[in-house]
Amino acid sequence: MPEEQINLSLVPRRPEDCAVVIFGASGDLTGRKLVPALYRLFASGATPEHFYICGAARSEMSREEFQNKMHQAVEARGVDMSAWERFAACLHYHPVVYDQVETYHALAARLDELDALHGVKGNRILELAIPPTMYQTVALTLGQAGLASEEHGWRRLVVEKPFGRDLDSSRELNRAICQGFAEHQVFRIDHYLAKETVQNIMMFRFANAIFEPLWNRNYIDQVSIVTAETLGVEHRAGYYEQAGVLRDMFQNHMMQLLALVAAEPPSLFEANRVRDERTKLFRSLRPFPLEDLYGYLVLAQYEAGEIDGQPVPAYRAEPGVDPSSLAPTFATMKVFVDNWRWQGVPFYLTSGKRLTEKLTRIVIHFREVPHSLFRQVLGEDIQTNRLVLDIQPKEEITLYFQAKQPGAQVALRTVRLHFSYQDQAAKQGTEAYEKALADAMLGDQMLFWRQDGVELCWAFLDPILEACESCGDRADRLHRYRAGTWGPRDAAKLWPGHPYNYPVS
Ligand code: BG6
């Protein structure tokens, strides 16, 4: 009897025949993420039997030029290129001018020809890999050109974050999208949701009987969620200066991680039921205590420092950044969920750039034992149980508990039960973009944002952003931290589980 069995119902299906049309095909995201992900899906037989990709962008480019450009981009990812020739035969290119509907009509005619050539019957993924400022224009024009119509095959619009920069602009963007597309056609990507270990949180919670009974205020003292990066702002100053860490990481990835840990079990593992539960959770977020904003929030920006032994500049000295910028690159936030399960349990959310190491981790801190019978011998200091869900770069689950130290002395030590994805002999994990694109082709919206969730998260964050950005002492409230550290000391005062208080092991 094998020790581990795979539930075959979870083995992925092959999607229906379709085309993937990438708007912004000459841009960074297409070469860095999308085409390499599609190539890996193709090479592993996970794309449809009849399938092609059509790049669309402003640049005039021949098909060969596009193929060569994509060849370089995929090769640079260090993947096995043995399927390239077959893949290249599926790659096409057609120029469009984003605000000229006639060019979309020409594109539509070209897609009809390509459908006939590849034996595809009208199903299309329309991926927006364009700057967010263009989303509205392209979504509207797609609708006007009839490219959203599902009369001949399905049409699915894939949109990357940011979904607006506040509640109003996200609604406005959605109105533009809804001119042509219905909600079931819209796939709003959050690449964190498509990470294998993030999906595992749901399996872990709801496929095991032993944790869920403890998963509430009676047994859990606090929960922390951290996404730490060593990278700085890179070449994205233009965007990041406007966004800062709250819009860039909290409105989306942090909220989804929170929802996965805290949402109620859905009645069925089905896209809308799962998303309903996430939405309910967002609706239960306690409005932020603006009267004591900085009692619950620490914002900071990195100074010059060292990452992996190399000197790195301060945020304000990065190319394209205003030398007096007040954009936060780090935040710790204490939030509460006002529902039966979580009343009174603090959730500490932390995210920052240029920190000590790259780490995405969720820690469930359990309560102390109700009565310590070892007090007389061991004192008060018994470490509580912790369940650590490591999302990246390590993909692990560790449960810390107390056991007797071997030997004559009465002493406790912390020991761990540990599971690692990396230890699995045949690791079959998929990259986040592969998963997201495969799910879009399958029409499975479970790991995508629904507009109600987007709006609820903006509604939670908007007052915080407004209060931070309009307060007179904004500059004084922005802490500083040396690049390569775990952030400002004040974050450790707010969050008891901060690495300054609790060693990262
Ligand atoms: C993106 C943010 O959504 O996520 C970036 O815009 C951030 O600022 C990135 O660096 C982090 O993603 P990952 O998968 O590297 O943790």
Side-chain angles (χ1 to χ4, degrees):
M1 175 89 170
E3 203 175 286
E4 292 159 14
Q5 288 183 338
I6 297 176
N7 178 350
L8 285 178
S9 65
L10 299 180
V11 172
R13 294 171 282 137
R14 200 166 184 188
E16 286 179 273
D17 296 341
C18 69
V20 176
V21 187
I22 304 178
F23 292 85
S26 54
D28 181 58
L29 182 68
T30 304
R32 214 163 33 85
K33 296 280 186 195
L34 301 176
V35 172
L38 288 165
Y39 173 74
R40 276 192 295 262
L41 288 172
F42 180 87
S44 64
T47 46
E49 192 182 346
H50 299 283
F51 163 79
Y52 69 93
I53 298 168
C54 183
R58 279 173 294 210
S59 329
E60 286 292 339
M61 213 186 327
S62 69
R63 181 182 182 201
E64 288 66 35
E65 284 170 317
F66 182 57
Q67 287 168 329
N68 291 339
K69 201 169 146 88
M70 293 303 109
H71 183 270
Q72 280 173 15
V74 176
E75 203 169 34
R77 311 300 297 175
V79 287
D80 169 9
M81 296 299 283
S82 53
W84 179 259
E85 291 307 319
R86 285 188 300 120
F87 182 74
C90 303
L91 278 179
H92 300 270
Y93 183 81
H94 190 87
V96 283
V97 182
Y98 294 134
D99 56 358
Q100 289 180 13
V101 70
E102 320 80 72
T103 66
Y104 289 61
H105 288 306
L107 173 67
R110 179 75 186 128
L111 293 176
D112 289 343
E113 286 168 18
L114 292 174
D115 274 4
L117 183 71
H118 287 275
V120 172
K121 298 208 168 51
N123 294 335
R124 284 171 199 160
I125 298 281
L126 307 163
E127 159 88 43
L128 302 190
I130 47 179
T133 46
M134 299 300 300
Y135 286 176
Q136 252 164 275
T137 308
V138 174
L140 265 176
T141 321
L142 279 168
Q144 286 161 5
L147 276 158
S149 155
E150 296 201 294
E151 213 173 310
H152 304 289
W154 48 252
R155 302 290 151 88
R156 296 178 187 147
L157 185 74
V158 179
V159 193
E160 301 281 334
K161 76 170 241 289
F163 315 118
R165 53 170 285 108
D166 54 23
L167 181 58
D168 287 346
S169 55
S170 82
R171 284 184 170 152
E172 204 180 305
L173 169 62
N174 195 50
R175 272 194 294 275
I177 291 175
C178 291
Q179 298 276 316
F181 297 88
E183 182 64 35
H184 77 270
Q185 294 175 273
V186 187
F187 289 68
R188 297 178 193 82
I189 288 196
D190 188 308
H191 79 280
Y192 264 67
L193 275 181
K195 287 180 194 277
E196 180 116 356
T197 28
V198 171
Q199 296 160 52
N200 188 43
I201 297 172
M202 241 193 309
M203 305 278 173
F204 180 83
R205 284 188 59 196
F206 303 133
N208 293 296
I210 58 174
F211 295 108
E212 200 48 28
L214 308 181
W215 213 261
N216 57 52
R217 63 191 300 276
N218 297 324
Y219 296 95
I220 293 179
D221 181 55
Q222 53 173 286
V223 176
S224 57
I225 303 178
V226 183
T227 59
E229 296 184 77
T230 50
L231 288 179
V233 68
E234 300 180 280
H235 54 276
R236 299 160 72 220
Y239 151 77
Y240 201 85
E241 277 282 272
Q242 300 304 314
V245 68
L246 294 180
R247 290 188 179 86
D248 185 46
M249 294 295 290
F250 279 71
Q251 193 276 336
N252 34 71
H253 310 317
M254 300 303 283
M255 286 294 145
Q256 288 291 358
L257 292 174
L258 171 64
L260 283 161
V261 175
E264 294 300 312
S267 54
L268 206 62
F269 193 58
E270 182 272 330
N272 267 330
R273 301 210 195 181
V274 171
R275 299 196 303 173
D276 284 346
E277 295 306 334
R278 295 207 292 257
T279 298
K280 261 165 65 187
L281 192 278
F282 298 140
R283 199 168 282 130
S284 312
L285 285 170
R286 181 184 300 175
F288 213 69
L290 298 178
E291 63 295 346
D292 183 19
L293 185 64
Y294 292 105
Y296 289 74
L297 175 70
V298 172
L299 295 176
Q301 192 187 70
Y302 62 82
E303 301 274 27
E306 273 190 9
I307 297 278
D308 296 332
Q310 298 298 317
V312 293
Y315 176 73
R316 289 179 175 186
E318 299 270 20
V321 172
D322 175 354
S324 56
S325 169
L326 295 178
T329 58
F330 174 101
T332 290
M333 186 186 274
K334 180 177 175 180
V335 305
F336 288 91
V337 174
D338 276 339
N339 66 13
W340 196 274
R341 186 190 286 263
W342 293 117
Q343 194 52 237
V345 179
F347 289 79
Y348 296 97
L349 313 184
T350 296
S351 180
K353 289 196 181 289
R354 287 279 193 237
L355 298 182
T356 312
E357 59 182 87
K358 169 102 180 153
L359 179 79
T360 302
R361 170 175 286 181
I362 298 173
V363 186
I364 315 294
H365 296 259
F366 289 93
R367 287 192 183 281
E368 291 180 352
V369 289
H371 168 62
S372 173
L373 57 158
F374 303 111
R375 185 175 294 130
Q376 280 160 320
V377 219
L378 299 172
E380 297 291 342
D381 200 18
I382 299 181
Q383 281 221 357
T384 53
N385 298 119
R386 270 176 305 144
L387 178 69
V388 179
L389 306 170
D390 272 310
I391 312 283
Q392 62 179 11
K394 292 191 210 148
E395 302 179 325
E396 299 178 341
I397 299 177
T398 314
L399 178 66
Y400 291 88
F401 61 99
Q402 298 303 308
K404 184 182 177 303
Q405 177 81 35
Q409 212 187 351
V410 178
L412 286 175
R413 64 180 176 141
T414 304
V415 291
R416 41 189 233 146
L417 270 176
H418 181 240
F419 163 77
S420 166
Y421 269 88
Q422 277 96 342
D423 294 346
Q424 303 286 291
K427 185 172 180 275
Q428 293 171 340
T430 45
E431 296 274 324
Y433 266 91
E434 284 173 62
K435 174 71 180 155
L437 290 166
D439 281 2
M441 286 192 267
L442 287 164
D444 184 348
Q445 292 181 304
M446 185 180 303
L447 302 178
F448 295 83
W449 279 91
R450 204 168 59 187
Q451 181 63 16
D452 53 1
V454 173
E455 290 187 13
L456 284 164
C457 289
W458 276 126
F460 172 72
L461 212 60
D462 263 8
I464 306 175
L465 286 163
E466 211 180 297
C468 296
E469 290 170 1
S470 64
C471 75
D473 56 353
R474 188 177 170 193
D476 302 331
R477 293 297 188 172
L478 187 69
H479 297 266
R480 304 294 153 134
Y481 62 100
R482 216 177 116 74
T485 66
W486 280 113
R489 291 267 152 202
D490 280 66
K493 291 185 200 154
L494 174 60
W495 167 34
H498 190 285
Y500 293 145
N501 304 326
Y502 234 104
V504 174
S505 52

